[in-house]
Amino acid sequence: MLKIVILSIGNELLMGKTVNTNLTFLGEKLTELGYEVVANLVCRDKKDEISKMLDYSYSIASVVLCTGGLGPTDDDITRGAISEYFGRRLLFDDKIWTQISDVYVNYTGQIPPENNKAQALVPEGFNVFPNEVGTAPALYKVDGEKKIFLLPGVPSEMKFFMESLVLPEIKLISPPRKFYMKSVQMFGLPEALIAEKMENVTIKNGVNLAYLPQGGSVILRVYGDDFAGCDELLGVIKKKFSENIVGIGEQNLFASLHNKLVDSGLTFAMAESCTGGLFSSSVVNNSGSSAYFVGGVVSYSNEIKRDVLGVDEHLLQTKGAVSREVAEAMARGVANKFGANLAGTITGVAGPEGGSEEKPVGLVWFAIFHKGEVFSFSRNLKGDRSSIRTFASNFLVGKLLVYLNEKMR
């Protein structure tokens, strides 16, 4: 089995200023094809540290995917570090410089500055793959025991090279192996309770089970080389948790809701308070959501709840915005406003201020309206403001999936 190390280079990654989304993309793509990612490493823009990381990488793998440090500025030292590690000179490539210049002029209308010439330097003996979505080319060396790909850290550029260069080359080195991997989306049970219910289940050699909490839901991932054994385990999971499974596959909860609503023929509207549009934004992240999503209201203030959604002023004054009664009134109001036959509501205290003994930070009320009927429920969520808002969105989408699964059986 081909073993691969992903090496991400950049001070900003270690400082927490940039989220390493490249790592997620690379790991997912390689795993789907049955390649084994044995380590994910991150290091600073320091030549000696890059060298140590490479020594370790080649002690456990034969291929290194390296991202970052190919820009034109002084802190982009990856080319130099790699050339020194392999004992090669850096050579200026006139053809690459012409390509970089043309791209720069087309994008900016200006002549590229001199420091961009650094992107045309190539370690002797390395191959060059032109960049069609940016300036820095990819550099790679696949002959010999130490195989390496140097990719820009810009996500759009990295993805271009992964699809057009890395995957085709890796498939030549080692053909993809057949690899079983299926995910089960669970809702309504915490990870610990799911694990407890799985304690007496025998997991065979060649079969693996991973527990992946997803902010209010849990994904059970079944994977391995034994296809029959994996199918058998998947069947056990489906039987044990039939009432808690809301989807099968790699998609997230909102993608599962999208598919369910497309199939249902329902129209959907949303009223949000503490989540501030987060739920609606997640809905429209799915292409084709216009087939069912008719509109939403961010009713952050009581005035909007009253004037736009038609929530009774007396309810707001006596029960408060964070209450069963107001959540249900919001659901009815947004359904009526948009003529939807399905609607959802979130209203709560996201914090860190605004809580009370009666309604503490983290208290969230939800409601679901469906063809004239409405029901509501609440949860006391833990975490910071961002976590509470995310958990609230995920909790409602999970409840909607459970509800729709029951109605559409």
Side-chain angles (χ1 to χ4, degrees):
M1 184 190 307
L2 186 66
K3 295 183 177 181
I4 301 172
V5 170
I6 298 172
L7 173 58
S8 306
I9 299 174
N11 295 342
E12 69 282 357
L13 298 174
L14 292 166
M15 294 168 63
K17 299 297 184 183
T18 300
V19 178
N20 194 357
T21 57
N22 288 348
L23 175 58
T24 303
F25 178 84
L26 292 169
E28 183 177 37
K29 284 291 183 183
L30 293 167
T31 302
E32 284 175 356
L33 294 172
Y35 298 118
E36 187 175 7
V37 178
V38 295
N40 296 312
L41 308 176
V42 183
C43 74
R44 295 185 295 174
D45 298 298
K46 298 284 185 180
K47 286 185 178 181
D48 59 330
E49 294 179 17
I50 293 173
S51 179
K52 290 176 183 177
M53 289 288 186
L54 288 172
D55 281 338
Y56 175 69
S57 297
Y58 288 121
S59 73
I60 60 174
S62 59
V63 177
V64 176
L65 289 185
C66 182
T67 65
L70 298 181
T73 57
D74 291 340
D75 61 341
D76 293 311
I77 64 165
T78 298
R79 291 181 201 80
I82 297 301
S83 65
E84 287 186 17
Y85 182 83
F86 282 90
R88 305 294 180 91
R89 296 179 298 164
L90 274 177
L91 304 177
F92 185 80
D93 189 314
D94 290 306
K95 183 179 179 181
I96 291 297
W97 175 239
T98 299
Q99 292 171 343
I100 291 172
S101 299
D102 290 344
V103 170
Y104 198 94
V105 170
N106 288 336
Y107 273 93
T108 69
Q110 300 176 0
I111 302 297
E114 283 295 305
N115 62 3
N116 265 99
K117 286 187 174 180
Q119 294 182 306
L121 293 173
V122 180
E124 190 176 20
F126 272 59
N127 299 301
V128 180
F129 197 94
N131 193 336
E132 294 183 9
V133 293
T135 54
L139 310 172
Y140 66 107
K141 179 179 179 297
V142 292
D143 57 316
E145 294 182 0
K146 297 179 179 180
K147 300 170 175 57
I148 189 169
F149 295 85
L150 309 180
L151 312 180
V154 179
S156 59
E157 298 180 34
M158 178 279 301
K159 290 177 181 179
F160 163 74
F161 285 120
M162 189 66 182
E163 298 289 354
S164 57
L165 167 65
V166 177
L167 293 181
E169 286 290 336
I170 285 181
K171 289 175 183 178
L172 292 176
I173 298 169
S174 176
R177 66 188 177 100
K178 292 183 178 180
F179 187 75
Y180 185 107
M181 184 166 63
K182 290 187 179 179
S183 297
V184 182
Q185 297 173 324
M186 307 277 289
F187 179 79
L189 291 177
E191 178 187 12
L193 186 54
I194 295 172
E196 183 178 78
K197 289 178 177 291
M198 291 294 293
E199 281 181 355
N200 296 324
V201 176
T202 301
I203 298 179
K204 299 178 179 180
N205 290 332
V207 179
N208 301 277
L209 177 63
Y211 297 80
L212 308 170
Q214 299 287 316
S217 64
V218 178
I219 289 178
L220 294 186
R221 181 162 293 156
V222 179
Y223 64 99
D225 298 308
D226 182 350
F227 278 57
C230 287
D231 264 334
E232 182 181 331
L233 178 58
L234 185 65
V236 171
I237 292 171
K238 287 179 178 179
K239 187 175 181 179
K240 275 184 171 290
F241 303 103
S242 59
E243 295 183 359
N244 300 97
I245 294 174
V246 294
I248 304 290
E250 294 302 311
Q251 60 198 19
N252 60 33
L253 288 176
F254 279 94
S256 293
L257 179 64
H258 171 81
N259 294 335
K260 188 70 66 176
L261 288 175
V262 167
D263 292 341
S264 72
L266 295 169
T267 53
F268 177 69
M270 184 67 198
E272 304 179 63
S273 185
C274 65
T275 45
L278 181 61
F279 191 98
S280 297
S281 176
S282 298
V283 168
V284 300
N285 274 341
N286 294 286
S287 177
S289 55
S290 59
Y292 56 86
F293 187 57
V294 291
V297 175
V298 179
S299 53
Y300 208 72
S301 71
N302 282 355
E303 289 75 18
I304 297 301
K305 293 179 178 70
R306 181 193 64 206
D307 298 340
V308 176
L309 297 179
V311 178
D312 189 272
E313 178 70 27
H314 180 69
L315 279 183
L316 291 166
Q317 293 299 324
T318 58
K319 301 297 183 179
V322 183
S323 64
R324 176 192 300 275
E325 294 80 2
V326 168
E328 292 181 355
M330 289 170 63
R332 291 190 186 93
V334 77
N336 291 334
K337 186 167 191 66
F338 291 104
N341 44 35
L342 179 70
T345 292
I346 301 174
T347 179
V349 186
E353 299 86 18
S356 65
E357 186 173 345
E358 181 185 1
K359 298 179 180 181
V361 170
L363 174 64
V364 182
W365 274 97
F366 308 83
I368 294 175
F369 170 96
H370 181 227
K371 295 182 178 179
E373 297 182 0
V374 64
F375 65 95
S376 54
F377 41 93
S378 67
R379 281 295 181 274
N380 285 295
L381 304 175
K382 304 298 181 184
D384 58 18
R385 184 178 181 85
S386 178
S387 297
I388 289 170
R389 294 174 66 238
T390 299
F391 282 12
S393 290
N394 289 343
F395 188 79
L396 179 60
V397 73
K399 277 285 192 179
L400 280 164
L401 283 166
V402 170
Y403 178 80
L404 291 170
N405 283 343
E406 291 176 352
K407 289 292 182 181
M408 295 173 65
R409 279 177 182 166

